[in-house]
Amino acid sequence: MDIEAVRWAESGQALEIIDQTRLPEAEIRLQLDSAEATAEAIGSLRVRGAPAIGIAAALAYAVEAARAAPAGKAALRERLPRVYDVLVSARPTGVNLRWALDRMRGVAEGMPDAGAEAIAERLRAEATCILEEDRAMCRRIGQFGLPLLPENARVLTHCNAGALATGGIGTALAPIYMAHEAGQGVQVFADETRPLLQGSRLTAWELHRAGIAVTLVADVVAADLMRRGMIDLVIVGADRVAANGDVANKVGTYALSVLAKHHGIPFYVALPTSTLDTRCATGAGIPIEERAADEVRRGFGTLTAPSDVPVYAPAFDVTPAANITALITDAGVLFPPFDRAIAGLAADTETEPA
Amino acid sequence: MDIEAVRWAESGQALEIIDQTRLPEAEIRLQLDSAEATAEAIGSLRVRGAPAIGIAAALAYAVEAARAAPAGKAALRERLPRVYDVLVSARPTGVNLRWALDRMRGVAEGMPDAGAEAIAERLRAEATCILEEDRAMCRRIGQFGLPLLPENARVLTHCNAGALATGGIGTALAPIYMAHEAGQGVQVFADETRPLLQGSRLTAWELHRAGIAVTLVADVVAADLMRRGMIDLVIVGADRVAANGDVANKVGTYALSVLAKHHGIPFYVALPTSTLDTRCATGAGIPIEERAADEVRRGFGTLTAPSDVPVYAPAFDVTPAANITALITDAGVLFPPFDRAIAGLAADTETEPA
């Protein structure tokens, strides 16, 4: 597993991403040496997935600090707020983006007496920490999820919650990569995931590249696969999880949860605990973004519907906790009742030594 | 309603179709004056939908007869078998296509003593009959289905079982057109229907053109609409219906049936009785065609998946009778138990005067 969607460039003077807008046609690595270039890459979805975006922003923040430091502390203190603003505006709804940038800013502000080079050095270390923590988080999700996969498991997934969305081996795909590493046999059915086709463009690409058996299907085929007994379990990622275990994720997730329940197939959601939003009591409190009509009417450059026909295009849907078999987190697998399991996790975290 | 996907050209020397490969971009009518041109149009999906294909073949057969007749009876008798072969090969699995051609051939063969012009005249009348019977069939489905739609019904449909698939107002869309005609208010949600997007390219186009409120959705959005209480009923067409009421139809139909059942929403299948195949005891006996992988991998003219990733692409799936609220046929609405209702219908038909 060496995809590394976001990493340091060899020079150490830039970060490096896989340009996801060029997939699956070509695997192009881009070096980004400024906040502006990184913001452009985030805004145009060259780098995507909440964890990967947060990492990219943190690395870019450190890159900018290293560039400004030689000019002295005043120059650094002047540049960093601008860097923060440029990056945070790249994806205004990105929770991980803001979280990573706040963490970087906190480090810089916590060193009022340090010199410019020391601050830049410390920021570089902090960005590396954010990247490494994400990698470790992915592997923990993989380890906790692994026992849920039978030998030669046939897994259905939706959208992309894989290596391309994180600094490591992904969230929903982490147990799959670990099963493959362990040589226990695993086969994946990837929903293409309309309208933006993250399943075909990204998930099929990264699994295929990793040598894992993957079969691409149109979204409507999932139910047929289940009816034919070709699916042992479903694993998807999560955009946000409410205190009661309701999950907001890419539109289409809810349908899969109903279909899995109907066919007696386990339905798992993989997520870092940072995705838990205990301020939302239930999924009803999670706002759902609507996407542009032309993502459906002109999917990939071609007009495939009347140009002025109305479209309803929610980006996400909400899967009720009752449809979920377990939540696979980096702190362990949570089983129902989820409200208690999630509250317990929050309590553990609060009483943990810092 | 004046779409008329297949009709006589004004000259009477050709048939005229809407070139469905040009939709939704442009509404182009093509005149087809030979079996070869018609076979090309069928093979390249310029005309599609089982009833529409049968009608096109019948009209083309009559056109060829009219062209051959002036050269005398021998020329006519020589040409017609070739016409049959060219047309029947255009879509080898087309049940309606073969049925329509067998009917035309039967008429020709039933007139051993007639002259060439008389045969050609009779074939023209027979082709017109096939077209008019289809139009009447559509209206009967519409009339029988209409009472199932509440005032201001919000109907979800999948694929295209509309005017573009028939000589008239369609099958699944017939009750919707009738409700609109009756001014009782109706709103349609059209699944885009991957991989070939018949929902966005054809259903959204024809309803939009007819002034019926239609909203296009990606297939994965249907479940979310149901959960939000935005769907009153589902109506789909059928490719083939077994003796027990199991329905083979465009892949994705089965998922909708499970989702509708889960949400307590009526699920209707509209079909001409000619779609009943009582030789198939259950849906398990219906063969399912697999489509080319590139319909998914290069669906929009662009490569959207690794070019060599395996794809599972069934054209149809089977919806069990237990998930179906009623079958809307041109002979009336059938309710469960479908095996008895269908057997009763077959018995009625057998005892009917010819």
Side-chain angles (χ1 to χ4, degrees):
Chain A
M1 256 307 299
D2 58 346
I3 284 186
E4 299 186 308
V6 193
R7 68 183 181 196
W8 287 112
E10 233 173 277
S11 67
Q13 308 300 303
L15 60 137
E16 201 176 86
I17 62 163
I18 294 176
D19 184 349
Q20 300 194 26
T21 64
R22 301 294 302 278
L23 295 176
E25 199 100 36
E27 180 179 347
I28 309 284
R29 289 192 177 271
L30 290 183
Q31 301 222 345
L32 308 173
D33 64 359
S34 70
E36 286 74 12
T38 307
E40 189 282 332
I42 292 169
S44 58
L45 304 179
R46 297 184 200 287
V47 54
R48 49 148 292 283
I53 288 173
I55 296 164
L59 268 59
Y61 194 94
V63 162
E64 287 278 3
R67 275 173 56 167
K73 195 162 163 181
L76 182 68
R77 293 278 177 216
E78 200 189 311
R79 177 68 181 147
L80 289 183
R82 169 85 189 131
V83 165
Y84 182 99
D85 290 344
V86 166
L87 289 167
V88 87
S89 319
R91 196 87 181 263
T93 59
V95 175
N96 281 57
L97 175 65
R98 185 174 290 272
W99 167 86
L101 287 169
D102 284 346
R103 183 163 153 182
M104 296 298 284
R105 183 169 64 182
V107 166
E109 288 175 352
M111 303 174 74
D113 303 325
E117 292 293 353
I119 294 172
E121 196 53 47
R122 180 69 187 77
L123 286 172
R124 184 184 167 81
E126 191 71 18
T128 301
C129 263
I130 288 177
L131 172 58
E132 291 301 334
E133 284 169 17
D134 191 68
R135 285 192 181 147
M137 172 277 287
C138 291
R139 291 200 74 82
R140 280 200 304 277
I141 288 177
Q143 275 153 356
F144 285 123
L146 185 55
L148 302 173
L149 271 62
E151 191 83 13
N152 298 315
R154 297 162 305 169
V155 186
L156 177 72
T157 190
H158 190 68
C159 198
N160 178 264
L164 286 169
T166 64
I169 58 171
T171 54
L173 300 192
I176 292 164
Y177 282 117
M178 302 278 282
H180 183 65
E181 268 177 43
Q184 73 173 51
V186 60
Q187 190 189 348
V188 180
F189 289 89
D191 270 359
E192 66 171 4
T193 316
R194 278 285 284 154
L196 293 181
L197 302 176
Q198 292 94 338
S200 45
R201 292 190 298 111
L202 308 178
T203 297
W205 180 84
E206 67 168 88
L207 293 172
H208 200 48
R209 184 182 183 283
I212 295 174
V214 56
T215 301
L216 177 63
V217 292
D219 301 308
V220 290
V221 174
D224 187 53
L225 289 172
M226 292 182 185
R227 194 183 63 85
R228 291 173 183 272
M230 291 166 73
I231 302 295
D232 297 312
L233 66 156
V234 180
I235 314 183
V236 297
D239 193 65
R240 209 191 288 198
V241 179
N244 72 337
D246 288 354
V247 167
N249 190 45
K250 185 65 56 201
V251 68
T253 302
Y254 169 60
L256 288 184
S257 77
V258 172
L259 294 167
K261 196 171 193 177
H262 180 81
H263 292 91
I265 295 169
F267 184 87
Y268 300 112
V269 179
L271 61 140
T273 46
S274 60
T275 308
L276 295 169
D277 185 352
T278 49
R279 292 162 311 167
C280 278
T282 74
I286 302 177
I288 303 294
E289 176 195 350
E290 240 194 278
R291 304 287 306 175
D294 273 350
E295 286 182 1
V296 179
R297 291 186 305 214
R298 298 178 189 271
F300 289 80
T302 318
L303 183 70
T304 56
S307 59
D308 59 345
V309 78
V311 175
Y312 172 60
F316 305 106
D317 60 25
V318 173
T319 297
N323 289 4
I324 299 168
T325 309
L327 300 172
I328 309 173
T329 83
D330 52 320
V333 178
L334 309 185
F335 291 95
F338 292 120
D339 49 355
R340 279 172 49 189
I342 290 170
L345 206 65
D348 284 358
T349 314
E350 275 156 24
T351 56
E352 234 172 42
Chain B
M1 258 305 298
D2 57 346
I3 285 187
E4 299 187 307
V6 193
R7 67 183 183 198
W8 287 112
E10 232 172 278
S11 67
Q13 308 300 306
L15 60 138
E16 200 176 84
I17 62 163
I18 295 177
D19 184 350
Q20 300 194 27
T21 63
R22 301 294 303 280
L23 295 177
E25 200 100 37
E27 180 178 346
I28 309 284
R29 289 193 178 267
L30 290 183
Q31 300 222 346
L32 307 173
D33 63 359
S34 70
E36 286 74 12
T38 306
E40 190 281 333
I42 292 170
S44 58
L45 304 180
R46 295 185 204 286
V47 56
R48 47 149 291 284
I53 287 172
I55 296 164
L59 267 58
Y61 194 93
V63 163
E64 287 279 3
R67 276 172 54 165
K73 195 163 164 181
L76 181 68
R77 293 273 177 221
E78 199 189 313
R79 177 67 182 148
L80 288 183
R82 170 84 189 129
V83 165
Y84 182 99
D85 290 344
V86 165
L87 289 166
V88 87
S89 317
R91 196 88 181 266
T93 58
V95 176
N96 281 57
L97 175 65
R98 185 174 292 274
W99 167 86
L101 286 168
D102 285 347
R103 183 163 154 183
M104 295 297 285
R105 183 170 63 184
V107 165
E109 289 175 353
M111 303 175 72
D113 304 325
E117 294 292 352
I119 294 171
E121 194 54 43
R122 179 71 184 78
L123 286 172
R124 184 184 166 82
E126 191 70 16
T128 301
C129 263
I130 289 176
L131 172 58
E132 291 301 334
E133 283 169 16
D134 191 69
R135 286 191 181 147
M137 172 277 288
C138 292
R139 292 200 74 83
R140 279 200 304 277
I141 289 177
Q143 274 152 357
F144 286 124
L146 186 56
L148 302 173
L149 272 62
E151 191 83 12
N152 297 313
R154 296 161 308 168
V155 185
L156 178 71
T157 189
H158 190 68
C159 198
N160 178 263
L164 287 169
T166 64
I169 58 170
T171 54
L173 299 193
I176 293 164
Y177 282 118
M178 302 279 280
H180 182 66
E181 267 177 44
Q184 73 174 51
V186 60
Q187 191 187 349
V188 180
F189 288 90
D191 270 1
E192 67 172 4
T193 316
R194 281 285 284 152
L196 292 182
L197 301 173
Q198 293 92 337
S200 45
R201 291 190 299 109
L202 308 178
T203 297
W205 180 83
E206 68 168 84
L207 292 173
H208 201 47
R209 183 182 183 283
I212 294 173
V214 56
T215 301
L216 177 63
V217 292
D219 301 308
V220 290
V221 174
D224 187 53
L225 288 172
M226 292 181 186
R227 194 183 63 84
R228 292 173 184 272
M230 289 165 73
I231 302 295
D232 297 313
L233 66 156
V234 180
I235 313 182
V236 297
D239 194 65
R240 208 191 289 199
V241 178
N244 72 339
D246 288 354
V247 168
N249 190 45
K250 184 65 55 200
V251 66
T253 301
Y254 169 60
L256 287 185
S257 78
V258 172
L259 293 167
K261 196 171 193 177
H262 179 81
H263 293 90
I265 294 169
F267 185 87
Y268 299 112
V269 179
L271 61 140
T273 46
S274 60
T275 307
L276 294 169
D277 185 353
T278 49
R279 292 160 312 164
C280 279
T282 73
I286 302 176
I288 303 294
E289 175 195 351
E290 243 194 275
R291 305 288 305 176
D294 273 349
E295 286 183 0
V296 180
R297 291 187 303 214
R298 296 175 191 271
F300 302 83
T302 318
L303 182 70
T304 55
S307 59
D308 59 345
V309 78
V311 175
Y312 172 61
F316 305 107
D317 59 25
V318 173
T319 298
N323 289 3
I324 298 168
T325 309
L327 301 172
I328 309 172
T329 83
D330 51 320
V333 178
L334 309 185
F335 292 95
F338 292 120
D339 49 356
R340 280 173 48 192
I342 290 170
L345 207 63
D348 284 357
T349 313
E350 277 157 24
T351 55
E352 233 172 44

